[in-house]
Amino acid sequence: MFVLDENEEMPLYVQLYQQIKNDIIKGDIKSGTKLLSSRKLAMDLRISRNTVELAYDKLSSEGFLISRPHQGYYAELPLMEALDKQEGIGKPQLELESQDDKNIIYDFQNKRLHPDEFPFGRWKALTNKCFLDYKNGFLQYGCPFGEPSLRAEIQRHIYHHRQVKCQAKQIIIGSGTQFCLELICHVLTDQNMNIAMEEPAYNRTRMTFQNNGFHIRPIQMDEHGIDISQLKNKTVAAAYVTPSHQYPTGIIMPKTRRVELAEWAKCNDTFIIEDDYNCCFQYDINSIPSIHSFCSDRVIYMGTFSDLLFPAIGVSYMVLPEQLVDKLCERYCHDTTFVPFLTQKTLELFMREGFWEKHMRKTILHQRKKRDVLVKSLRHEFKDKIHIWGTHAGLHILVQAKWAVTEEELIAQANEMGVGVQPTAEFWSCTQNMKNGLVLLNYGGMLLEQVPAAVKLLRQAWLKNEKGAVKEL
């Protein structure tokens, strides 16, 4: 019999859910056992029927119960849980934290979303469904460029949201953005070995190009993004841009600049690599069509699922112009799949059954609220003592101090107060272009209610005088 405590902070349905789940995993409730009806169990426990149904629904979504019409609920040990139990695999231990990480209470360094914001139960249920309903897929190597059914889902998604019109065969699914960039480097090697990049730009992307023998040509930006006038004097294989939320400045490239950039690529017979990361996180503006929609034969379009899901999924994709698809096929057509079948199939089901759209809408609204609270808190605490950049999109903002202070000092002072902030110096290829006193705040991994307290600590850390008192603003 299950024991529920009304004095516990944990809701009754969660207590019931956890107890049933634990009994199924331990084997106290065998697979195939019929559970009491929600009405009968509610009467026995003297709780509402809705409470039991909430617990049953959660167990069913995670694959621990199977609902049979006109028969009731039956216990089921999901295959992943059964394998863990059989092999004696316990819960993975947490990685050892560095000393600096242990001191961090509020972390603006995390680029991921907070774990509480992802429907792990739904993902787990779909993963179990793959083992039950799609066994044949595990026995095949599959197409190296991605499962046709997932490529079709991505095709529909990017056409609807980003006006990217392509054939499914042009979509290449890879294990992360840097992996896709590696593939791009391999199909561009018969061009000249120069790549134009925004200045500043994501340092790992710059390193990927350099590791593949390309020379970086940094291009300064104006308020609308990459400066086309500087591009006209450069002979490059491609220009890499992040138009939806330039990294790290947060500049959103307007439609006119996108059209201008597309015309530049056509006239110079070169390519644009459009990294459309964070494209869904647009808060105060209408969505702007992708550069690909203006010049599909000269644009390599890139997207990722990590921003909205979790980094460990390791799934990104790109849309190659048709003339580059054949070159990639010649080199990799005999390879095994770049992304495991289980990951691809689970993601396909997540998209096909509507959970992706639902999760995307919910996450965007939540991140908008978080952005609003962060900006409001910063302006309240610091008044006119700081510049705030990049607030209209994405999952991060830039903060620059107006007083004489270095990036290193800001980071060290914040760490002393238990707040982690991210440096920006590494994003500039030319050190003379760096801005002093500039740090990056990733708010995706923060809980909404943590933000005001974190900003108060930043104020205490950054606006001290020699005696340690906070300066009057």
Side-chain angles (χ1 to χ4, degrees), residues 151-429:
R151 294 162 89 179
E153 289 297 328
I154 294 173
Q155 180 188 22
R156 285 189 284 271
H157 170 71
I158 59 179
Y159 177 70
H160 177 71
H161 288 280
R162 305 301 300 134
Q163 299 182 29
V164 173
K165 189 175 182 179
C166 66
Q167 301 179 57
K169 70 176 184 179
Q170 293 176 254
I171 298 174
I172 311 300
I173 300 172
S175 56
T177 299
Q178 302 309 312
F179 178 84
C180 288
L181 285 171
E182 292 273 355
L183 297 181
I184 292 171
C185 289
H186 296 164
V187 298
L188 292 179
T189 49
D190 60 350
Q191 314 285 322
N192 72 72
M193 298 299 287
N194 296 316
I195 294 287
M197 288 190 70
E198 302 155 322
E199 174 75 350
Y202 188 40
N203 57 312
R204 287 188 60 191
T205 297
R206 186 187 304 119
M207 290 172 59
T208 298
F209 286 127
Q210 291 173 331
N211 290 341
N212 282 275
F214 284 89
H215 305 288
I216 303 301
R217 300 292 179 254
I219 307 297
Q220 295 297 314
M221 296 187 299
D222 57 26
E223 68 272 18
H224 299 307
I226 194 166
D227 188 343
I228 303 294
S229 64
Q230 292 191 37
L231 269 178
K232 292 177 180 177
N233 301 322
K234 300 288 191 299
T235 301
V236 295
Y240 172 87
V241 293
T242 51
S244 289
H245 187 239
Q246 200 280 332
Y247 197 90
T249 66
I251 293 173
I252 300 172
M253 186 182 293
K255 181 178 178 179
T256 52
R257 180 61 57 87
R258 298 181 191 217
V259 173
E260 190 179 359
L261 189 57
E263 288 299 319
W264 166 82
K266 291 178 185 176
C267 294
N268 290 273
D269 193 30
T270 189
F271 293 100
I272 298 166
I273 303 171
E274 180 181 11
D275 188 345
D276 213 18
Y277 93 102
N278 273 182
C279 61
C280 60
F281 293 106
Q282 306 286 312
Y283 304 129
D284 304 313
I285 62 170
N286 294 325
S287 180
I288 304 173
S290 64
I291 302 173
H292 187 280
S293 65
F294 304 118
C295 184
S296 60
D297 61 331
R298 306 309 305 175
V299 175
I300 302 170
Y301 180 85
M302 298 179 63
T304 181
F305 290 99
S306 297
D307 291 340
L308 262 168
L309 294 178
F310 44 89
I313 191 177
V315 178
S316 295
Y317 59 89
M318 59 182 177
V319 179
L320 291 179
E322 291 193 52
Q323 64 264 39
L324 296 182
V325 173
D326 290 339
K327 292 183 64 176
L328 193 71
C329 288
E330 289 174 7
R331 181 159 185 165
Y332 292 102
C333 65
H334 299 297
D335 279 33
T336 56
T337 182
F338 298 146
V339 178
F341 169 79
L342 178 60
T343 301
Q344 292 193 59
K345 197 65 183 179
T346 304
L347 179 57
E348 177 212 326
L349 295 176
F350 194 76
M351 297 179 75
R352 177 153 54 87
E353 297 184 14
F355 300 118
W356 169 259
E357 290 284 340
K358 181 179 178 181
H359 174 64
M360 182 171 67
R361 290 192 298 269
K362 179 180 177 181
T363 303
I364 292 170
L365 288 173
H366 188 65
Q367 295 304 323
R368 184 202 301 267
K369 290 179 183 177
K370 205 182 296 183
R371 185 282 313 258
D372 291 344
V373 171
L374 176 58
V375 173
K376 181 180 179 180
S377 298
L378 286 168
R379 287 173 176 163
H380 173 73
E381 297 292 342
F382 289 93
K383 303 295 191 292
D384 61 348
K385 295 290 184 180
I386 58 174
H387 288 295
I388 305 174
W389 296 349
T391 62
H392 299 300
L395 294 171
H396 76 261
I397 61 173
L398 286 178
V399 173
Q400 184 178 24
K402 292 184 179 180
W403 63 94
V405 66
T406 66
E407 170 190 287
E408 292 82 3
E409 289 171 334
L410 289 175
I411 294 171
Q413 291 164 4
N415 282 346
E416 287 179 5
M417 297 299 295
V419 183
V421 298
Q422 187 174 343
T424 60
E426 59 192 9
F427 303 135
W428 271 267
S429 60

Side-chain angles (χ1 to χ4, degrees), residues 28-251:
D28 294 340
I29 300 177
K30 305 293 185 185
S31 290
T33 300
K34 182 179 179 180
L35 272 68
L36 293 177
S37 69
S38 58
R39 185 186 304 275
K40 180 67 167 65
L41 185 55
M43 291 176 60
D44 289 351
L45 296 177
R46 296 182 181 180
I47 58 178
S48 74
R49 187 178 178 186
N50 286 340
T51 299
V52 179
E53 288 178 345
L54 282 172
Y56 279 8
D57 286 345
K58 186 169 177 62
L59 289 162
S60 181
S61 71
E62 296 183 8
F64 287 95
L65 291 184
I66 295 177
S67 176
R68 297 176 183 170
H70 310 298
Q71 296 185 45
Y73 286 96
Y74 291 80
E76 178 74 17
L77 182 62
L79 182 56
M80 292 297 291
E81 298 288 347
L83 290 174
D84 286 355
K85 184 178 178 182
Q86 180 179 346
E87 297 176 13
I89 302 175
K91 292 184 178 180
Q93 294 183 352
L94 296 175
E95 295 181 4
L96 293 176
E97 296 179 311
S98 67
Q99 191 61 41
D100 288 341
D101 290 339
K102 289 181 179 179
N103 296 330
I104 299 300
I105 304 171
Y106 303 113
D107 195 358
F108 284 113
Q109 301 170 99
N110 281 332
K111 298 178 183 179
R112 64 180 186 272
L113 298 179
H114 194 275
D116 291 350
E117 297 168 9
F118 181 74
F120 283 104
R122 180 62 61 187
W123 187 267
K124 184 175 182 180
L126 293 175
T127 301
N128 289 325
K129 185 175 182 179
C130 292
F131 281 109
L132 294 172
D133 298 343
Y134 300 95
K135 295 184 180 71
N136 288 339
F138 293 94
L139 306 177
Q140 303 172 19
Y141 285 110
C143 174
F145 308 125
E147 289 295 310
S149 52
L150 177 55
R151 294 162 89 179
E153 289 297 328
I154 294 173
Q155 180 188 22
R156 285 189 284 271
H157 170 71
I158 59 179
Y159 177 70
H160 177 71
H161 288 280
R162 305 301 300 134
Q163 299 182 29
V164 173
K165 189 175 182 179
C166 66
Q167 301 179 57
K169 70 176 184 179
Q170 293 176 254
I171 298 174
I172 311 300
I173 300 172
S175 56
T177 299
Q178 302 309 312
F179 178 84
C180 288
L181 285 171
E182 292 273 355
L183 297 181
I184 292 171
C185 289
H186 296 164
V187 298
L188 292 179
T189 49
D190 60 350
Q191 314 285 322
N192 72 72
M193 298 299 287
N194 296 316
I195 294 287
M197 288 190 70
E198 302 155 322
E199 174 75 350
Y202 188 40
N203 57 312
R204 287 188 60 191
T205 297
R206 186 187 304 119
M207 290 172 59
T208 298
F209 286 127
Q210 291 173 331
N211 290 341
N212 282 275
F214 284 89
H215 305 288
I216 303 301
R217 300 292 179 254
I219 307 297
Q220 295 297 314
M221 296 187 299
D222 57 26
E223 68 272 18
H224 299 307
I226 194 166
D227 188 343
I228 303 294
S229 64
Q230 292 191 37
L231 269 178
K232 292 177 180 177
N233 301 322
K234 300 288 191 299
T235 301
V236 295
Y240 172 87
V241 293
T242 51
S244 289
H245 187 239
Q246 200 280 332
Y247 197 90
T249 66
I251 293 173

